[in-house]
Amino acid sequence: MPTSLKKAVEEFARQDGTTINQFIVSAVAEKLSALTAAEFFAQRRADGDIDWALAFLSREGGEAPAADDRLPAKYHGKPGA
C-alpha cells in the first residue's frame, strides 16, 4: 500500500476509533455493497418493460394523490424531478 494511502487510512481509522484492519474491512464491505446494488439495478433495468410501464401509468381509474402527496410546484418540469 502506498505510504500516502496508508497514512490516510491510519488517520480515518483513528478518527473512527477502529483499527486499520477494521477500517479496511469496512471499506471493502461498503464497496462490495455498492457494486452489488449497481448490479441489482442494472438487472432490474434489463428486465423492465417500458411499454408495460407506460401503459400502466396511463391507465384509467385510480385515485388522485392526496394533497400532501403531490410534488411541490417549484419542482414541476425540472430534470430529475
Side-chain angles (χ1 to χ4, degrees), residues 5-76:
L5 182 57
K6 184 179 179 196
K7 285 182 181 180
V9 168
E10 287 172 341
E11 178 61 23
F12 276 102
R14 185 188 63 73
Q15 290 175 7
D16 198 38
T18 64
T19 66
I20 293 173
N21 190 51
Q22 288 171 320
F23 181 83
I24 291 171
V25 167
S26 177
V28 169
E30 188 175 322
K31 179 65 174 185
L32 287 173
S33 176
L35 292 171
T36 301
E39 187 177 301
F40 170 81
F41 287 112
Q43 186 60 48
R44 292 289 301 236
R45 181 174 187 236
D47 292 342
D49 182 340
I50 192 72
D51 293 327
W52 180 90
L54 291 173
F56 178 80
L57 292 171
S58 300
R59 74 192 187 286
E60 294 290 326
E63 297 178 10
D68 62 346
D69 195 28
R70 294 179 188 268
L71 186 64
K74 67 181 180 179
Y75 295 109
H76 289 205

